[in-house]
Amino acid sequence: MRKINEIFYSIQGEGCRAGVPSVFIRFSGCNLKCGFCDTRHDDGKFMSDDEIIEEVNKYHGSQIVLTGGEPSLFIDEDFIRKLKASTGLPIAIETNGTYILPENIDWVTVSPKFGMEGKGDATLKVKHAEELKVVDIGQELEPYFHLECVGPDTVMLLQPCYVENEKEREKNTRQTIGRVMSDPRWRLSLQTHRWLNIQ
């Protein structure tokens, strides 16, 4: 049984695959506690693998995205194999990188949480990432290029920190745009689903 916050069909809103129709499996629970997290970890229900797969198969996306919370707390290679066999879809994951991942995941997005307000060990255990997505809170950025999971083909994404206050949100966005333009090793990532007012 796996604790599921929600399973839904939408457009991937951020990162390299923004715009891709995706089935999202959002898990409840995380080993870290970040102030900007938008998942209600107390919500959700326990579902069997068969129940999860039945719900996922109601939709017709181009990929399945495992998100959270922290999905690596709840998955294993057998679960990924079952998902692929039933749906025929590639599997992507959005993770804080603090746990080793099953090797049969197709696209890994690591979003490190160093220096975030909260608690928990944010040490990275993931050894490889297709993209590294960093929430910009004004931290030093150079160390991210030297992480073990960052290789020559890893896309480096910098994303403004979303807050409810509109003026502060605009300030954060301008700051991130300026940092990307001053260091073109980064690519800007926006949470387009928020702008479009979709899930």
Side-chain angles (χ1 to χ4, degrees), residues 136-137 158-163 165-181 188-191 194-195:
D136 182 9
I137 55 171
L158 194 60
Q159 182 167 289
C161 183
Y162 182 87
V163 293
N165 182 278
E166 184 175 355
K167 287 186 177 180
E168 187 175 351
R169 188 166 66 243
E170 289 178 358
K171 178 183 176 183
N172 289 352
T173 301
R174 287 194 300 271
Q175 169 185 274
T176 303
I177 290 171
R179 299 186 88 181
V180 169
M181 292 183 71
L188 180 67
S189 173
L190 295 174
Q191 293 180 300
R194 293 188 184 275
W195 297 94

Side-chain angles (χ1 to χ4, degrees), residues 80-119:
I80 302 301
R81 180 186 57 77
K82 288 178 183 177
L83 268 180
K84 286 185 174 184
S86 177
T87 65
L89 295 176
I91 310 294
I93 190 169
E94 298 178 351
T95 176
N96 60 32
T98 58
Y99 286 86
I100 298 295
L101 300 176
E103 293 187 2
N104 52 345
I105 293 175
D106 301 290
W107 185 272
V108 177
T109 300
V110 174
S111 184
K113 299 299 189 291
F114 310 133
M116 304 293 179
E117 182 181 350
K119 59 183 179 181

Side-chain angles (χ1 to χ4, degrees), residues 52-135:
I52 294 169
I53 289 168
E54 180 181 1
E55 185 67 23
V56 167
N57 276 323
K58 293 178 180 178
Y59 309 106
H60 303 285
S62 298
Q63 65 174 352
I64 296 170
V65 179
L66 309 178
T67 186
E70 178 45 51
S72 65
L73 296 173
F74 304 96
I75 62 171
D76 51 35
E77 287 195 9
D78 186 55
F79 176 66
I80 302 301
R81 180 186 57 77
K82 288 178 183 177
L83 268 180
K84 286 185 174 184
S86 177
T87 65
L89 295 176
I91 310 294
I93 190 169
E94 298 178 351
T95 176
N96 60 32
T98 58
Y99 286 86
I100 298 295
L101 300 176
E103 293 187 2
N104 52 345
I105 293 175
D106 301 290
W107 185 272
V108 177
T109 300
V110 174
S111 184
K113 299 299 189 291
F114 310 133
M116 304 293 179
E117 182 181 350
K119 59 183 179 181
D121 182 5
T123 303
L124 290 188
K125 302 288 197 319
V126 171
K127 307 299 183 184
H128 167 80
E130 273 69 40
E131 59 182 8
L132 193 85
K133 184 174 63 181
V134 176
V135 177

